[in-house]
Amino acid sequence: MHKFVIKGGQPLKGRVRISGSKNASLPIIFASILTERAVIENVPDLRDTRTAISLLMDMGFDARFSKNKLEVVRTGNVKTEADYELVRTMRASVLTLGPLLARFGKARVSLPGGCAIGARPVDLHLKALSRLGAEIKIEHGYINAVAPDGLKGAEVVFDFPTVGGTENLLMAAVLAKGKTVIRNAAKEPEIVDLARSLKKAGACIEGEGTDTIEVVGTDSIGEIEYAVMPDRIEAGTFIACVAAAGGEIVIEEFPGDTLEAVVDKFREAGVSVEKLGDGVVSVKRDGRLRGTDITTEVYPGFPTDMQAQFMAAMCLAEGVSVIRETIFENRFQHVLELQRLGADIKIDGNTAVVRGVDRLIGAKVMATDLRASASLVVAGLAAENTTEIYRIYHLERGYENLDRKLSELGAEIKKEKSEKPY
Ligand code: EPZ
């Protein structure tokens, strides 16, 4: 087990390049199931992307991954199963369901358990795939799905614009017979990236990025060759780091206008974010931050994946910040740990009230989930003395070389072996 040791108080300075998007890579990696060969570039080297690749190899695909380039080739028979062990480590494995059903007419995928941030059911995924003709049974913790006559296009209205549900349905519809209309679809940029990768391979998709996506199924699609978009949540996390630690950095490979809600809120709080060119922005904080309220929403609202990092930055702001989490039911695990650093935060249901304090003091803290661990890094950079963050395997699921990138910006952060059994 490893921990991060951060000596806070160093303002950040320099340039950082954002890696490819985890949440765009995962569905595009699983879209490889739909075709004979896929070459995907700018795939971040993370625990989660490596889990996805292991899952494809376990199914019988040949996969080679080096220097952020992944090549997946179908070599022979495919085991249309995603077993518990792999799904347990990464819930997004449920995104194999749509492609397996569409390509092979059957799938046996372990039900993903809940996770630290909530129950995270997949009922909307299953309801949508049933609308395309899949016969789905839940047995012994597995989703057993068959589509003996293949999937047939249909109109599907999501009760909630689920990101994963939209991705699963989109990949299934690409090879379904006839037309599928997805209403109340999620509009996240990662879905647009998935659609672009499929369209490049010959899929007929319109409307991605809006709440209505239309797909005309084809018998097959060609090879996928695609470079994944930059990770907008990593970019937002670096803005939070500057907001907390101060200084001035330049972010390269900034993902265009996919972070407007986050940039607006940090500007409101007193951080300056200036566009220097295509995909290049400068981020600077010199004065004290002002307390700023956020409510997490589906895209293009403030993303839930930036809530914890924003909260960490607001702990030292002047005044009060009211933070409402509306997407997940239990996404305040980071509050208890931030309080250990001296933060003044009160939780009332899905709302956290942060009262800015003059200083945070380093302490030993525990990561509980991916974005909670990022928020502890943000706070540790601003805290006096030393902060030790245990269980950083949570963080390494979704951030590529974060400690190295921050060290290159002048932060005093080191990854060390943990002296504890965690
Ligand atoms: C994706 O999760 C992301 N993960 C999450 O990022 C992100 O927080 C989330 O979208 C929201 O933007 C990946 O892309 C791999 P949802 P997903 O389906 O697809 C409920 C990170 O930190 N729901 O939009 O699981 C669900 O419980 C991760 O990188 C149902 O009730 O999100 C939740 O409350 C964390 N039934 C809400 O909808 C369903 O069938 C949003 O879930 C599906 C979802």
Side-chain angles (χ1 to χ4, degrees):
M1 296 285 184
H2 287 82
K3 61 181 179 178
F4 275 168
V5 179
I6 303 175
K7 194 168 172 346
Q10 307 296 334
L12 302 181
K13 205 150 186 53
R15 301 178 81 90
V16 65
R17 184 186 178 283
I18 300 300
S19 298
S21 163
K22 166 180 87 79
N23 289 350
S25 298
L26 293 173
I28 295 172
I29 289 171
F30 291 134
S32 312
I33 294 169
L34 295 167
T35 181
E36 291 299 308
R37 179 172 175 271
V39 177
I40 311 165
E41 316 231 15
N42 203 32
V43 176
D45 190 347
L46 306 167
R47 295 171 69 95
D48 273 8
T49 47
R50 285 194 173 269
T51 300
I53 293 162
S54 311
L55 190 45
L56 288 183
M57 293 172 75
D58 184 63
M59 288 178 180
F61 289 87
D62 183 41
R64 288 184 177 72
F65 183 45
S66 88
K67 298 195 182 63
N68 300 113
K69 179 175 176 179
L70 171 65
E71 182 179 6
V72 181
V73 177
R74 181 188 167 185
T75 48
N77 284 342
V78 170
K79 183 182 83 169
T80 58
E81 293 206 6
D83 79 21
Y84 173 68
E85 273 321 304
L86 284 163
V87 178
R88 187 175 62 86
T89 52
M90 188 188 66
R91 310 184 59 269
S93 310
V94 75
L95 295 175
T96 55
L97 193 56
L100 285 172
L101 265 176
R103 184 88 197 279
F104 303 105
K106 61 185 172 123
R108 183 170 182 274
V109 176
S110 166
L111 263 178
C115 73
I117 63 177
R120 302 188 70 185
V122 290
D123 54 313
L124 302 179
H125 298 233
L126 305 185
K127 220 167 101 184
L129 293 170
S130 310
R131 287 279 299 130
L132 265 57
E135 292 155 24
I136 295 175
K137 286 199 196 79
I138 307 281
E139 289 154 339
H140 314 302
Y142 273 80
I143 303 162
N144 287 310
V146 288
D149 315 325
L151 297 174
K152 268 170 65 47
E155 172 151 341
V156 181
V157 184
F158 276 119
D159 300 345
F160 175 86
T162 155
V163 171
T166 302
E167 290 165 345
N168 238 335
L169 180 58
L170 178 59
M171 291 189 280
V174 156
L175 297 186
K177 292 185 195 67
K179 183 174 179 180
T180 296
V181 179
I182 308 175
R183 298 200 189 285
N184 199 23
K187 301 186 277 192
E188 272 66 9
E190 292 76 20
I191 288 169
V192 175
D193 224 32
L194 169 63
R196 283 192 183 134
S197 72
L198 294 167
K199 287 165 87 164
K200 257 193 86 187
C204 302
I205 302 169
E206 307 259 319
E208 66 275 13
T210 75
D211 60 7
T212 303
I213 302 176
E214 299 201 357
V215 185
V216 177
T218 52
D219 293 342
S220 65
I221 59 170
E223 298 189 355
I224 289 175
E225 298 207 354
Y226 195 71
V228 173
M229 68 178 278
D231 193 310
R232 63 195 176 100
I233 304 303
E234 183 192 7
T237 303
F238 276 102
I239 298 177
C241 289
V242 173
E248 180 171 5
I249 68 170
V250 172
I251 299 178
E252 297 170 353
E253 294 298 304
F254 191 83
D257 58 357
T258 60
L259 260 185
E260 292 305 276
V262 172
V263 169
D264 287 351
K265 281 296 177 180
F266 274 114
R267 282 180 175 146
E268 193 181 319
V271 179
S272 95
V273 183
E274 297 306 321
K275 194 171 157 71
L276 300 181
D278 203 12
V280 183
V281 301
S282 77
V283 184
K284 183 174 161 199
R285 197 262 297 165
D286 34 34
R288 187 175 182 188
L289 293 178
R290 294 182 292 275
T292 303
D293 301 346
I294 60 164
T295 296
T296 63
E297 302 285 356
V298 297
Y299 193 82
F302 193 97
T304 174
D305 291 352
M306 274 300 303
Q307 178 256 108
Q309 302 91 305
F310 189 83
M311 183 188 290
M314 290 300 111
C315 290
L316 286 166
E318 174 88 42
V320 175
S321 306
V322 177
I323 294 176
R324 281 185 64 232
E325 171 58 58
T326 69
I327 305 295
F328 288 106
E329 67 269 27
N330 189 30
R331 205 167 196 177
F332 284 149
Q333 306 270 318
H334 42 287
V335 169
L336 287 173
E337 301 305 310
L338 292 172
Q339 288 167 337
R340 290 179 49 69
L341 299 173
D344 177 351
I345 307 172
K346 299 263 181 314
I347 295 180
D348 174 9
N350 72 343
T351 301
V353 178
V354 182
R355 289 181 197 291
V357 293
D358 295 335
R359 48 206 279 249
L360 295 175
I361 311 288
K364 291 181 191 291
V365 288
M366 192 79 78
T368 50
D369 59 85
L370 169 56
R371 305 304 172 181
S373 43
S375 82
L376 298 177
V377 171
V378 170
L381 293 172
E384 294 172 8
N385 308 337
T386 298
T387 297
E388 295 183 271
I389 305 172
Y390 291 87
R391 292 189 174 158
I392 54 159
Y393 58 83
H394 287 291
L395 186 123
E396 293 179 328
R397 297 189 52 173
Y399 289 92
E400 189 180 47
N401 301 323
L402 184 63
D403 48 329
R404 200 185 72 203
K405 290 179 178 176
L406 284 169
S407 303
E408 287 167 6
L409 291 174
E412 282 194 53
I413 177 170
K414 283 198 302 298
K415 180 176 168 181
E416 292 180 5
K417 225 164 156 28
S418 169
E419 75 288 357
K420 310 257 189 222
Y422 47 77

